[in-house]
Amino acid sequence: MVNFKNNISLLPYNTFGINVKTSSFIHVRKTDHLLNALKKKSFEKILVIGQGSNVLFTKDYPGLIILMDNHGIEIIKENQKEVIVKVQSGENWHQFVLWCLKNNYGGVENLALIPGKVGAAPIQNIGAYGVEIKDVFLSCNTLELSSLTFKEFNPDECSFGYRDSVFKSKLKGKYIITSVTLKLQKYPHKVNVSYGNLEKILKGKKKTIQNIAESVIKIRSSKLPDPKIIGNCGSFFKNPIISKSQLKDLIKTFKEVPFYSHSKDKIKIPAAWIIEKLGYKGYNENKVGVYKNHSLVLINLGNARGKDVKLLAEKIRSKVLDVFSISLEYEVNVW
Ligand code: EPU
């Protein structure tokens, strides 16, 4: 059963370490408990958190926060080449990656050490080092809040994009993901080491999924702060996508701008580079900082308030707009 709690602090439930309150809260350990709880009481505002690793609270939450903590990893089909795995949404993503590595199932090794739970992964189509969850995604089960019925989504229905899906846009807040089903590869794996310095770090080592994950963990740990030690939500902004002609103009002033092809006529440039160029790397104000090893990460220097994090984020956004004529979008959900 699930107990409703009222007026509790969200401090233990968000990796930014922001101390705000929520009017109501439930901790869900089983999917059918979620359904029973929502049948009992209705709420105008509902927000699901897993690890709270992609959310910034700027004020008290005037509704129900649902902490999904449902567990289970189940092989539902396999052949000699592939295995289909259903994972409950409350499983920790990185622990799931470790389970795959232990069983020698390939496909998610580049996504090692991404904070958060499995249920959040399709919402923002988590991605790192050249791989996104959409590359292994088969379906997800969800609970529709308006009808309290379960609905399965296939990849097309999810409309995955760069750090985006239908659950972040058209259907935002309408469904709760209860499990995710992925298709993974058995040995021999098709690996992807084309991103940045991944190949260089692997030099001399076999390109096994275990070695790739180890290298990814090494790169991430050297650049990104551990949220258990320094409050943060990973990348605060998305990398902006601009047109080729915008890039041409940019290169006139900044010859060294790094860029990656995004689609036929669009280019992605690292927001981290722009922010560093503007001198914000290592900057801090009101107990909020820009991380010294990666300028895309805003950090809590101790007892920061959510509204001060947003103030700094907005200051950076408006400077970027002024100097680069680029409008940065938040990657983090700001409430
Ligand atoms: N860079 C700088 N200054 C910095 C950091 C990076 O100029 O302080 C420039 C460098 O040119 C570097 C480039 O930015 O080569 C790219 O940096 P990085 O490889 O660290 O990747 P990113 O584009 O900043 C994205 C994801 C990360 C993911 C990495 C690796 C987004 C918003 N972020 O960051 O995801 O780990 O690629 O694939 O797409 C997250 O979503 O929370 C996250 C950490």
Side-chain angles (χ1 to χ4, degrees), residues 128-129 162-163 195 220 223-224 234-235 237-239 258 260 270 272-273 276 281 294-296 331:
Y129 308 100
Y162 164 57
R163 288 297 193 282
Y195 186 91
R220 285 188 81 92
K223 285 190 183 178
L224 303 169
S235 305
F237 302 100
K238 287 190 193 180
N239 285 330
Y260 316 97
W273 177 84
E276 180 168 346
K281 197 168 184 169
H294 204 299
S295 47
L296 200 48
E331 205 242 340

Side-chain angles (χ1 to χ4, degrees), residues 119-133:
I123 297 180
Q124 57 154 344
N125 184 22
I126 57 166
Y129 308 100
V131 173
E132 292 176 323
I133 193 176

Side-chain angles (χ1 to χ4, degrees), residues 15-17 224-234 289 291-293 297-302:
T15 62
F16 235 119
L224 303 169
D226 179 348
K228 286 194 200 93
I229 301 166
I230 302 175
N232 79 92
C233 271
Y291 191 50
K292 62 178 185 348
N293 295 343
V297 183
L298 300 189
I299 55 172
N300 183 348
L301 297 169

Side-chain angles (χ1 to χ4, degrees), residues 72-200:
I73 304 177
E74 189 190 347
I75 293 174
I76 54 174
K77 217 172 169 186
E78 63 183 313
N79 61 27
Q80 280 186 331
K81 286 187 176 163
E82 288 164 344
V83 55
I84 294 176
V85 182
K86 182 174 177 179
V87 196
Q88 295 301 308
S89 58
E91 287 285 344
N92 172 278
W93 174 263
H94 181 62
Q95 292 305 318
F96 167 65
V97 172
L98 294 181
W99 179 88
C100 294
L101 296 171
K102 198 171 107 207
N103 290 288
N104 214 17
Y105 299 148
V108 289
E109 54 282 357
N110 296 44
L111 306 177
L113 216 61
I114 293 188
K117 292 196 172 178
V118 167
I123 297 180
Q124 57 154 344
N125 184 22
I126 57 166
Y129 308 100
V131 173
E132 292 176 323
I133 193 176
K134 77 166 173 47
D135 303 331
V136 292
F137 180 93
L138 266 191
S139 66
C140 60
N141 264 317
T142 65
L143 181 66
E144 185 181 32
L145 288 172
S146 61
S147 63
L148 293 185
T149 55
F150 289 97
K151 175 177 162 46
E152 188 172 270
F153 282 77
N154 67 31
D156 281 348
E157 290 167 319
C158 291
S159 311
F160 289 121
Y162 164 57
R163 288 297 193 282
D164 200 22
S165 79
V166 76
F167 303 111
K168 240 184 137 175
S169 52
K170 216 170 77 190
L171 302 182
K172 188 172 177 173
K174 296 194 182 330
Y175 291 84
I176 295 178
I177 296 182
T178 55
S179 70
V180 178
T181 301
L182 305 173
K183 195 204 268 184
L184 304 167
Q185 305 148 21
K186 289 190 179 172
Y187 185 80
H189 309 112
K190 262 186 250 136
V191 295
N192 181 340
V193 292
S194 56
Y195 186 91
N197 51 353
L198 194 51
E199 182 131 45
K200 214 159 86 196

Side-chain angles (χ1 to χ4, degrees), residues 181-332:
T181 301
L182 305 173
K183 195 204 268 184
L184 304 167
Q185 305 148 21
K186 289 190 179 172
Y187 185 80
H189 309 112
K190 262 186 250 136
V191 295
N192 181 340
V193 292
S194 56
Y195 186 91
N197 51 353
L198 194 51
E199 182 131 45
K200 214 159 86 196
I201 290 193
L202 273 163
K203 211 163 188 179
K205 282 192 185 161
K206 278 197 184 144
K207 289 178 188 130
T208 63
I209 57 172
Q210 290 77 11
N211 284 344
I212 292 172
E214 197 185 298
S215 304
V216 165
I217 290 169
K218 216 186 256 171
I219 303 173
R220 285 188 81 92
S221 321
S222 70
K223 285 190 183 178
L224 303 169
D226 179 348
K228 286 194 200 93
I229 301 166
I230 302 175
N232 79 92
C233 271
S235 305
F236 198 92
F237 302 100
K238 287 190 193 180
N239 285 330
I241 292 159
I242 61 171
S243 67
K244 283 190 173 160
S245 68
Q246 268 175 299
L247 177 70
K248 260 192 199 159
D249 286 345
L250 205 57
I251 289 176
K252 281 183 203 150
T253 325
F254 304 99
K255 276 198 285 300
E256 73 286 16
V257 56
F259 60 88
Y260 316 97
S261 153
H262 176 72
S263 60
K264 214 174 87 214
D265 47 3
K266 298 276 183 201
I267 302 291
K268 201 194 274 180
I269 56 174
W273 177 84
I274 300 177
I275 296 168
E276 180 168 346
K277 199 78 201 162
L278 292 173
Y280 278 113
K281 197 168 184 169
Y283 174 82
N284 65 71
E285 62 176 37
N286 300 324
K287 301 177 186 161
V288 185
V290 177
Y291 191 50
K292 62 178 185 348
N293 295 343
H294 204 299
S295 47
L296 200 48
V297 183
L298 300 189
I299 55 172
N300 183 348
L301 297 169
N303 303 321
R305 295 180 309 174
K307 52 181 163 189
D308 289 327
V309 180
K310 191 174 173 198
L311 267 181
L312 177 56
E314 282 301 313
K315 191 175 195 173
I316 293 173
R317 280 191 68 197
S318 76
K319 191 79 193 233
V320 170
L321 192 61
D322 261 13
V323 177
F324 287 86
S325 303
I326 285 174
S327 171
L328 285 187
E329 277 177 41
Y330 291 153
E331 205 242 340
V332 167

